[in-house]
Amino acid sequence: MLLSIVTPFYNEEEAIDAFFSRLTGLLDRTLPAYDFEFVCVDDGSRDRTLEILKARAAADARVRVVELARNFGKEAALTAGLTVARGDAVIPIDADLQDPPEIIPEMVRLWADEGYDVVEARRADRSSDTWLKRFSAESFYKLNNAIAETPIPENTGDFRLMSRRVVDVINALPERQRFMKGIFAWVGFRRARVEFVREQRVAGSTKWNKWRLWNLALEGITSFSTWPLRVWTYVGAAIAGLAFLYGLILIVSTLIGGRSVPGYASLMSAILFMGGVQLIGIGILGEYLGRTYLETKQRPVFVIREIYGRGEGGQQEAAHGGAPGGAGQT
């Protein structure tokens, strides 16, 4: 049986040697009955990442390198890797090795021996992350799971094992704006969980700044919930109720105490408050409208420039375009 290890790479030249050294030694030692392929997706790296990966593919027939035409982002790179992977089970894992590959044998056992289609890796300890990152991640999971129809398991990333039929379902989904953690949860299937302690990066630095993490959180919330749209009905009803109550108070006070001179400060506060509320509502509508606009274009999630490595029959494979389900590949 074939296991596919799928890894997106973006400016990870310092981590490549440690990544392959740790994984190949571990997998050859602990899972000798399985064949492996390493699907390495270069997401438009600007350093020597692609060059080093191509050298790996030339030296090891198990390594296949997918070169994207530009930087499409991690979600698109992961989608490309799942599309190209041929394994009976597929294991996405990051190149920084913060998710320890030592739990892969247990994941494979739960899949092969106990019949689970998905084996999630849950971070039992995130002390290696900063306080701000831990707090923001916890807040996102709580908010998302409170409003989304399909909750995302807390402290689970992309690192997991998925059976072939799960991967086929994910590849068949037509949506272009992809939040992979939500998609992994949405497809369902029988699931197990393995816990681990998150480690420090083996080399290099993270490519996720606060702004990108914020945009990813917005992507997740708007991809799997319409609650941000629905809530403005209740906000409007509440403000209308307060306005009606305030109008009654003004009428009663005028009948009892006579006419009062309206205050400039209170008037401006009301105008600015209502203007801000309306702009927030319009912004949320724009977020959903923008997502609809991007989906209607039907552009592929990624474009593959080339695939390096030996495919079936020992021939080098190549691809010049890509979309969910492998459209555009040759």
Side-chain angles (χ1 to χ4, degrees), residues 100-114:
E102 284 73 17
I103 66 173
I104 290 179
E106 175 63 13
M107 299 166 76
V108 173
R109 186 192 68 81
L110 290 169
W111 162 65
D113 296 342
E114 300 190 23

Side-chain angles (χ1 to χ4, degrees), residues 7 42 75 156 262 302 319:
T7 305
D42 178 66
E75 307 298 283
T156 58
F302 57 87

Side-chain angles (χ1 to χ4, degrees), residues 2 41 49-50 66 70 90 151 156-157 170 205 238 243 279 298 315:
L2 178 66
V41 183
T49 295
L50 178 60
V66 181
R70 63 171 176 83
V90 178
T156 58
I170 292 173
S205 59
L279 288 175
Q298 294 292 293
Q315 299 297 318

Side-chain angles (χ1 to χ4, degrees), residues 124-330:
D125 185 348
R126 301 189 61 159
S127 57
S128 61
D129 293 333
T130 63
W131 174 87
L132 180 60
K133 189 171 183 179
R134 293 196 302 269
F135 173 77
S136 59
E138 182 180 357
S139 301
F140 166 75
Y141 283 118
K142 287 183 177 178
L143 174 61
N144 182 82
N145 292 345
I147 65 177
E149 295 181 1
T150 304
I152 300 174
E154 293 188 20
N155 292 319
T156 58
D158 298 325
F159 184 36
R160 65 190 63 217
L161 180 146
M162 295 176 287
S163 67
R164 180 75 256 168
R165 57 181 174 180
V166 174
V167 175
D168 288 342
V169 169
I170 292 173
N171 288 339
L173 295 177
E175 61 195 82
R176 265 58 182 170
Q177 300 298 110
R178 294 199 156 204
F179 179 66
M180 297 305 291
K181 294 180 183 64
I183 290 175
F184 291 154
W186 181 86
V187 295
F189 289 95
R190 189 165 177 246
R191 294 169 177 261
R193 182 175 298 173
V194 178
E195 293 193 345
F196 68 93
V197 177
R198 191 167 172 81
E199 302 178 6
Q200 295 286 351
R201 249 183 171 270
V202 294
S205 59
T206 180
K207 311 307 182 294
W208 290 93
N209 55 35
K210 296 179 179 62
W211 180 247
R212 292 187 66 186
L213 288 172
W214 169 256
N215 286 333
L216 182 65
L218 286 181
E219 184 80 18
I221 291 172
T222 55
S223 292
F224 291 90
S225 175
T226 58
W227 180 86
L229 290 172
R230 192 181 306 119
V231 72
W232 289 102
T233 301
Y234 304 106
V235 171
I239 292 176
L242 291 174
F244 180 75
L245 180 61
Y246 183 60
L248 289 179
I249 294 173
L250 288 179
I251 292 173
V252 172
S253 62
T254 301
L255 292 175
I256 296 176
R259 184 177 180 183
S260 60
V261 178
Y264 174 79
S266 60
L267 181 61
M268 287 301 299
S269 297
I271 292 174
L272 292 175
F273 173 73
M274 287 303 302
V277 169
Q278 291 172 351
L279 288 175
I280 293 173
I282 292 173
I284 292 177
L285 286 171
E287 182 72 25
Y288 281 89
L289 182 61
R291 291 182 59 83
T292 304
Y293 171 66
L294 293 174
E295 290 290 337
T296 58
K297 289 185 175 182
Q298 294 292 293
R299 289 176 179 170
V301 179
F302 57 87
V303 177
I304 295 177
R305 182 180 179 275
E306 199 78 33
I307 296 181
Y308 306 93
R310 294 190 176 275
E312 297 178 4
Q315 299 297 318
Q316 186 174 15
E317 298 180 0
H320 304 286
Q329 297 186 26
T330 59

Side-chain angles (χ1 to χ4, degrees), residues 50-82:
L50 178 60
E51 179 183 342
I52 297 173
L53 289 176
K54 287 166 64 176
R56 283 277 179 180
D60 189 343
R62 297 179 299 180
V63 178
R64 303 167 68 209
V65 180
V66 181
E67 180 190 0
L68 299 188
R70 63 171 176 83
N71 177 246
F72 286 88
K74 184 183 177 182
E75 307 298 283
L78 183 55
T79 301
L82 295 181

